[in-house]
């Protein structure tokens, strides 16, 4: 069944879709938003129930019917993986994220220039065989005003000027930092002793009640301050202090009357014509019936796995898009990225941490070992990562945080846990992963989702630069933890992939990238892709602030193309 | 979605014999000392409810694993698991933990699963059947699912009486 033509069709109404929906519908464009998950009620995400959300990870029910498959390298059989980062629900993963908001470092956008052309990689003695490193086609300065929009519309708590490595900013944070916890105090003290530069991690969590002031969008409703309950990661926030589009930008978009939101509707194909333009999308409605929605512009706003899958599924039988929509370069699915988090743990005999008091993103961090902020000469790797406090955790989720040598059950465990549950803390290191040719997403040849569509198959492993960097970062973490006065320090030095990006990267060269600086595909002018999938390289920071900034910037570009909607 | 569904279920997944063996295991995983252990905390009720609900898929592993525990105990030490003394029980469980049980390949997986579930039963929200009177939380000085913390409690014991999540209130808050 064909329906009337929309100005814009948004596929996925989470972080990026929730921002773009507001921006575009507010300017009078008729926007249709497709969300494959439901519109959740508070009872679905907010109760402080650690069995339901942390142990049985109920929010992931929304993705369990659409898992990925994973393997370490080509040639291996891929196995079903149910615990992935996206959340198939209105508002997306912002519902259950931790809330760490960081602008990238100016150098994070120029890896090729700063690491390879500059001779830095050579000085470091890094082996970059197999990597595929390019610059972003935009700079920190290009994104700066849009970082600001995100920070002021959603309410970010932070302390501008305290991180000597941060890029320049025109405006401070709208809110002061969150209250300091025991772990923040211990970490800051230890870092100062060691000559590092601790700062309050900017948090997408309100330290005070907040509503955006002019000149920002005052239609966004006021939200209360964080109550420090400690139920952030894998929960939705019960007071709505955590930044999420579900209760900020999405209601504003709906109130414009120009946003037609269709939940439980799964887009499975982006349609294109013989002229090489996209014409709209095909989707399953909640009853599994197939429909078509025509549109002048289509924006993919889903998770990075899904962007790759959708482009590959939207291939045409013949012609330019026979390898996948917008894939004349053959780069769709390539160079996927993740952090390889490593941890250092400390145990305190004479100091009570109470790590369950939240939020996890009330944290201190250092950037002394992030990006290119330190001398890499002779280290054997390039780049770095952030180091900071992490945590929260109810008793049921900390039972594996045990120093080596302590038995994990019996009287010994009981004695340990009853004494030390409130007396441990963690540092989390987020070393970046370089874009590697072997890391990619494609269509799984065997496994299918409940609609019969091939699942995204993730082929990912860490390579030589990551191994060296992760080991180095674990060592720095151990050193800092020792300086906190912990009685016992131990590390988890093997990186775990976390926070995915890449797969439809942006670049200046259409032969080796999918989108340009406006998140517009090189091949199809009326097709946009917004999200971490466009990142050509990672950073030591979580990706959300940059994803959000790109959303605002892309919205502005689309609105400037008035001829499309005349 | 599935809020509070365990509370409404009364069916027990394990037979009486299976439950008694499991109880003996739970007692060794988190024993009663001068403070209560897993059995007093209700870990058995927790597991029984979970195996009749969200963990139903694990029931076959439990069935086979519990039989293997008795089999291994008889073969190695000449008696059913529950009749061994504490030290002997730990020897048997250590074999499972290490995966060193010749006729039961998933021994390590079974041990790991049971350990998680027993400890979940000690530290869960009480509505799931375990952590009776929030005794697990009291043992580790966790004040439960507080609405929030007005103070940072830096190097200070949190002396609030523990509270469990209140689903009635959660609908509104």
């Amino acid at each position: 069944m064909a329906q009337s033509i929309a100005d814009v069709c948004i596929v996925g109404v989470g972080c990026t879709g929730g921002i773009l929906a507001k921006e575009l519908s507010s300017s009078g464009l008729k926007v249709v938003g497709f969300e494959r998950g439901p519109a959740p009620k508070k009872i679905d995400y907010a109760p402080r129930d650690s069995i339901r959300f942390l142990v049985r990870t109920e929010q992931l029910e929304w993705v369990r019917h659409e898992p990925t498959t994973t393997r370490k390298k080509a040639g291996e059989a891929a196995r079903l993986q149910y615990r992935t980062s996206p959340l198939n629900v209105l508002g997306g993963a912002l519902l259950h994220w931790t809330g760490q908001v960081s602008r990238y470092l100016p150098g994070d956008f120029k890896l090729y220039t700063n690491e390879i052309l500059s001779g830095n990689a050579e000085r470091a003695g890094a082996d970059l065989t197999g990597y595929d490193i390019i610059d972003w086609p935009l700079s920190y300065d290009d994104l700066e005003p849009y970082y600001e929009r995100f920070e002021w519309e959603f309410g970010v708590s932070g302390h501008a000027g305290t991180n000597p490595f941060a890029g320049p900013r025109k405006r401070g944070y709208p809110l002061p930092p969150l209250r300091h916890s025991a772990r923040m105090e211990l970490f800051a003290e230890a870092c100062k002793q060691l000559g590092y530069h601790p700062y309050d991690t900017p948090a997408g969590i309100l330290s005070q009640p907040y509503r955006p002031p002019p000149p920002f969008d005052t239609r966004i409703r006021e939200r209360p301050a964080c109550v420090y309950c400690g139920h952030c990661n894998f929960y939705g926030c019960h007071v709505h202090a955590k930044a999420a589009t579900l209760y900020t930008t999405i209601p504003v978009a709906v109130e414009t009357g120009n946003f037609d939101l269709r939940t439980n509707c799964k887009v499975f194909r982006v349609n294109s014509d013989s002229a090489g333009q996209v014409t709209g999308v095909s989707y399953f409605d909640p009853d599994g019936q197939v429909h078509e929605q025509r549109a002048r512009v289509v924006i993919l706003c889903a998770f990075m796995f899904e962007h790759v899958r959708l482009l590959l599924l939207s291939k045409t039988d013949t012609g330019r898009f026979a390898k996948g929509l917008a894939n004349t370069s053959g780069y769709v699915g390539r160079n996927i990225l993740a952090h390889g988090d490593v941890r250092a743990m400390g145990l305190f005999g004479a100091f009570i941490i109470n790590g369950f008091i939240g939020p996890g993103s009330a944290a201190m961090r250092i950037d002394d070992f992030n990006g290119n902020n330190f001398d890499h000469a002779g280290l054997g790797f390039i780049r770095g990562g952030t180091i900071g406090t992490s945590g929260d955790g109810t008793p049921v989720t900390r039972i594996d945080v045990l120093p080596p040598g302590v038995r994990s059950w019996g009287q010994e465990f009981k004695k340990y846990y009853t004494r030390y549950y409130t007396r441990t803390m963690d540092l989390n290191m987020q070393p970046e992963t370089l874009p590697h040719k072997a890391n990619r997403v494609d269509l799984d040849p065997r496994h299918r989702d409940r609609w019969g569509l091939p699942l995204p198959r993730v082929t990912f492993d860490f390579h030589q630069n990551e191994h060296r960097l992760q080991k180095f970062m674990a060592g720095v973490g151990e050193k800092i933890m020792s300086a906190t006065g912990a009685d016992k320090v131990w590390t988890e030095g093997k990186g775990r992939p976390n926070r995915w990006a890449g797969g439809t990267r942006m670049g200046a060269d259409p032969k080796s990238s999918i989108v340009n600086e406006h998140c517009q595909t090189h091949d199809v002018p009326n097709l946009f892709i917004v999200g971490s999938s466009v990142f050509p390289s990672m950073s030591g920071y979580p990706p959300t602030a940059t994803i959000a900034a790109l959303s605002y910037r892309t919205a502005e570009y689309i609105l400037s193309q008035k001829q499309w909607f005349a | 979605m599935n809020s509070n569904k365990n509370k409404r279920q009364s069916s027990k997944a394990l037979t009486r014999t299976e439950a008694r063996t499991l109880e003996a295991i739970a007692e060794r995983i988190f024993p009663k000392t001068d403070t209560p252990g897993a059995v007093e905390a209700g870990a058995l009720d927790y597991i029984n409810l979970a195996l009749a609900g969200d963990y139903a898929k694990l029931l076959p592993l439990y069935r086979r694993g519990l039989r293997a525990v008795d089999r291994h105990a008889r073969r190695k030490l000449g008696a059913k698991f529950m009749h061994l003394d504490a030290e002997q029980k730990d020897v048997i469980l250590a074999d499972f933990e290490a995966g060193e049980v010749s006729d039961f390949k998933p021994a390590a997986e079974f041990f790991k699963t049971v350990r998680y579930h027993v400890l979940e039963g000690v530290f869960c929200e009480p509505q799931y059947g375990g952590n009776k009177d929030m005794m697990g939380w009291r043992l580790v000085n966790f004040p439960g699912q507080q609405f929030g913390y007005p103070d940072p409690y830096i190097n200070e014991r949190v002396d609030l009486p523990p509270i469990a999540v209140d689903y009635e209130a959660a609908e509104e808050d």
Side-chain angles (χ1 to χ4, degrees):
Chain A
M1 180 178 81
Q3 303 188 10
S4 67
I5 187 159
D7 288 321
V8 179
C9 202
I10 290 176
V11 181
V13 187
C15 171
T16 62
I19 292 170
L20 279 148
K22 171 174 87 71
E23 294 296 297
L24 301 177
S25 63
S26 297
S27 291
L29 295 186
K30 296 289 179 193
V31 180
V32 180
F34 292 98
E35 170 50 52
R36 58 184 168 177
K41 295 196 183 66
K42 218 165 177 185
I43 196 82
D44 298 326
Y45 61 80
R48 299 178 298 289
D49 179 339
S50 65
I51 292 293
R52 185 173 161 199
F53 294 116
L54 292 175
V55 175
R56 302 184 189 172
T57 56
E58 184 185 298
Q59 298 208 333
L60 296 183
E61 284 300 335
W62 291 317
V63 292
R64 280 203 181 104
H65 54 80
E66 261 181 305
T68 56
T69 69
T70 60
R71 58 181 183 172
K72 290 204 160 177
K73 46 174 156 326
E76 289 176 2
R79 300 194 341 191
L80 284 164
Q81 164 77 30
Y82 289 90
R83 292 195 68 145
T84 54
S85 314
L87 211 55
N88 296 3
V89 68
L90 184 65
L94 285 190
L95 206 59
H96 75 169
W97 72 316
T98 310
Q100 291 188 30
V101 176
S102 283
R103 301 174 172 207
Y104 280 7
L105 296 166
D108 288 343
F109 298 94
K110 302 292 166 197
L111 252 61
Y112 184 73
T113 303
N114 292 348
E115 306 295 341
I116 297 176
L117 280 187
S118 68
N120 186 47
E122 207 173 312
R123 267 196 307 283
D127 171 10
L128 298 181
T129 317
Y131 293 103
D132 184 1
I133 296 169
I134 60 171
D135 284 347
W136 294 50
L138 47 65
S139 68
Y140 173 85
D141 291 339
D142 292 327
L143 268 189
E144 202 280 336
Y146 307 97
Y147 278 131
E148 182 185 285
R149 288 276 298 284
F150 172 60
E151 289 162 2
W152 283 78
E153 289 205 347
F154 287 79
V156 171
S157 305
H159 195 171
T162 51
N163 177 11
F165 301 101
R169 48 187 307 136
K170 291 200 188 66
R171 209 185 273 262
Y173 292 101
L175 293 164
L178 290 160
R179 186 180 77 196
H180 280 196
S181 62
R183 54 182 176 246
M184 292 164 78
E185 299 277 312
L186 289 170
F187 176 80
E189 192 55 40
C191 288
K192 281 182 204 150
Q193 262 178 48
L194 294 166
Y196 306 149
H197 302 84
Y199 65 95
D200 290 275
T201 301
I205 294 183
L206 305 180
S207 59
Q208 294 170 2
Y210 184 73
R211 179 173 195 172
F216 300 98
D217 197 333
T218 54
R219 295 172 301 168
I220 293 173
R221 66 175 84 132
E222 175 158 329
R223 291 147 53 216
C226 175
V227 293
Y228 300 90
C229 76
H231 298 81
C232 276
N233 206 0
F234 282 102
Y235 298 86
C237 178
H238 71 108
V239 297
H240 288 182
K242 182 158 72 173
T245 51
L246 181 68
Y247 39 76
T248 55
T249 60
I250 292 171
V252 173
V254 170
E255 281 156 24
T256 64
N258 293 323
F259 182 44
D260 175 358
L261 173 61
R262 300 183 197 164
T263 51
N264 292 306
C265 285
K266 154 103 183 150
V267 171
F268 62 91
R269 185 178 170 86
V270 180
N271 300 311
S272 55
D273 62 19
S274 55
Q277 296 268 327
V278 294
T279 56
V281 301
S282 295
Y283 67 100
F284 295 107
D285 72 10
D287 301 320
Q289 299 298 310
V290 172
H291 301 269
E292 192 184 335
Q293 172 63 52
R294 290 163 65 223
R296 295 183 173 88
V297 169
V298 173
I299 314 174
L300 305 188
C301 293
F303 199 74
M304 50 79 78
F305 302 134
E306 188 62 21
H307 286 169
V308 173
R309 174 159 82 143
L310 208 44
L311 293 177
L312 296 178
L313 289 173
S314 302
K315 70 178 182 188
T316 50
D317 293 337
T318 54
R320 292 176 76 211
F321 303 137
K323 283 186 296 182
L325 184 62
N327 192 25
T328 58
S329 65
Y331 265 70
V332 166
R334 291 216 209 171
N335 296 306
I336 61 166
L337 305 159
H339 286 123
D341 290 16
V342 293
R343 292 199 298 167
M345 274 70 65
L347 179 151
F348 295 78
F351 201 91
I352 304 174
I353 309 286
N354 293 321
F356 51 83
I357 298 179
S361 66
M364 298 291 287
R365 230 169 30 195
I366 57 165
D367 276 358
D368 297 74
F369 299 95
N370 195 10
N372 208 353
N373 296 342
F374 58 110
D375 183 8
H376 286 69
L379 289 177
F381 62 83
I382 58 168
R383 309 298 295 160
T386 53
I387 298 173
T389 58
S390 77
D392 60 37
T394 52
V396 78
T397 59
R398 298 281 294 178
I399 55 179
D400 286 329
V401 184
L402 297 171
V406 172
R407 198 178 208 184
S408 69
W409 55 282
Q411 205 167 322
E412 185 177 336
F413 171 80
K414 187 182 176 192
K415 198 173 159 199
Y416 166 81
Y417 206 58
T418 49
R419 168 80 184 155
Y420 290 109
Y421 164 68
T422 55
R423 295 163 185 268
T424 57
M425 72 177 242
D426 313 340
L427 298 184
N428 196 50
M429 280 63 76
Q430 297 176 7
E432 73 176 82
T433 299
L434 297 178
H436 194 282
K437 289 172 188 163
N439 289 341
R440 63 187 307 165
V441 176
D442 60 4
L443 298 179
D444 192 285
R446 287 199 311 134
H447 296 284
R448 288 171 182 263
D449 67 16
R450 70 169 178 201
W451 295 276
L453 304 168
L455 290 173
R457 177 174 64 180
V458 180
T459 306
F460 183 88
D461 203 0
F462 297 115
H463 297 89
Q464 67 273 17
N465 199 75
E466 288 76 54
H467 294 311
R468 289 175 191 161
L469 173 57
Q470 287 167 12
K471 196 171 163 215
F472 174 84
M473 296 297 283
V476 180
E478 190 171 8
K479 186 170 151 189
I480 296 171
M481 190 60 95
S482 300
T484 60
D487 296 303
K488 198 165 193 136
V489 177
W490 70 103
T491 60
E492 264 174 26
K494 220 175 146 215
R496 297 166 293 141
N498 202 353
R499 301 174 209 92
W500 296 97
T504 65
R505 73 178 180 182
M506 63 163 56
D509 183 358
K511 288 199 285 300
S512 64
S513 61
I514 305 303
V515 301
N516 64 20
E517 60 160 311
H518 300 297
C519 297
Q520 179 182 33
T521 61
H522 292 301
D523 289 347
V524 188
N526 64 341
L527 174 64
F528 291 76
I529 305 172
V530 190
S532 72
S533 71
V534 304
F535 290 13
S537 57
M538 206 72 175
S539 145
Y541 299 118
T544 306
T546 303
I547 292 170
L550 285 170
S551 309
Y552 284 107
R553 191 169 186 269
T554 300
E556 200 172 281
Y557 176 77
I558 291 172
L559 289 171
S560 75
Q561 303 303 303
K562 295 202 166 51
Q563 72 282 5
W564 290 348
F565 310 109
Chain B
M1 290 175 101
N2 66 351
S3 56
N4 227 359
K5 67 183 172 195
N6 280 316
K7 205 173 175 178
R8 290 183 217 113
Q9 281 163 352
S10 57
S11 59
K12 297 269 162 91
L14 298 171
T15 66
R16 188 180 291 242
T17 317
E18 288 167 339
R20 283 172 69 195
T21 309
L22 183 59
E23 183 175 302
I25 296 172
E27 174 56 26
R28 295 315 302 154
I29 287 176
F30 199 83
K32 178 172 195 247
T33 52
D34 51 343
T35 54
V39 175
E40 289 81 1
L44 263 291
D45 289 341
Y46 171 84
I47 295 175
N48 238 327
L49 283 170
L51 289 174
D54 285 352
Y55 294 167
K57 268 198 289 200
L58 293 170
L59 190 55
L61 177 68
Y62 265 84
R63 291 244 142 89
R64 289 166 54 226
L66 291 168
R67 277 201 302 273
V69 166
D70 267 337
R71 204 161 58 228
H72 189 58
R74 272 186 209 276
R75 191 174 45 217
K76 186 159 180 165
L77 299 168
K80 283 179 82 169
F81 183 80
M82 72 171 96
H83 299 311
L84 301 176
D85 68 28
E87 231 169 274
Q88 290 174 314
K89 282 178 182 150
D90 288 358
V91 168
I92 297 300
L93 292 179
D95 285 346
F96 274 77
E97 185 184 24
E100 285 162 4
V101 179
S102 55
D103 63 351
F104 189 59
K105 223 175 151 195
E109 184 200 337
F110 173 68
F111 179 83
K112 199 174 152 188
T113 304
V114 172
R115 173 189 174 257
Y116 276 133
H117 293 176
V118 167
L119 295 178
E120 284 170 22
V122 176
F123 298 117
C124 64
E125 280 67 25
Q127 80 210 32
Y128 291 91
N131 190 18
K132 296 218 188 313
D133 303 321
M134 293 174 267
M135 75 175 56
W137 289 350
R138 286 178 215 276
L139 279 174
V140 297
N141 279 326
F142 175 63
Q145 311 300 19
Q146 300 283 334
F147 184 88
Y149 295 94
D151 297 307
Y153 293 98
I154 295 173
N155 197 18
E156 211 182 300
R157 190 174 174 273
V158 180
D159 52 3
L160 306 167
I163 54 169
V165 60
D166 177 352
Y167 266 89
E168 260 48 336
E171 306 247 14
E172 287 139 34
D173 82 12

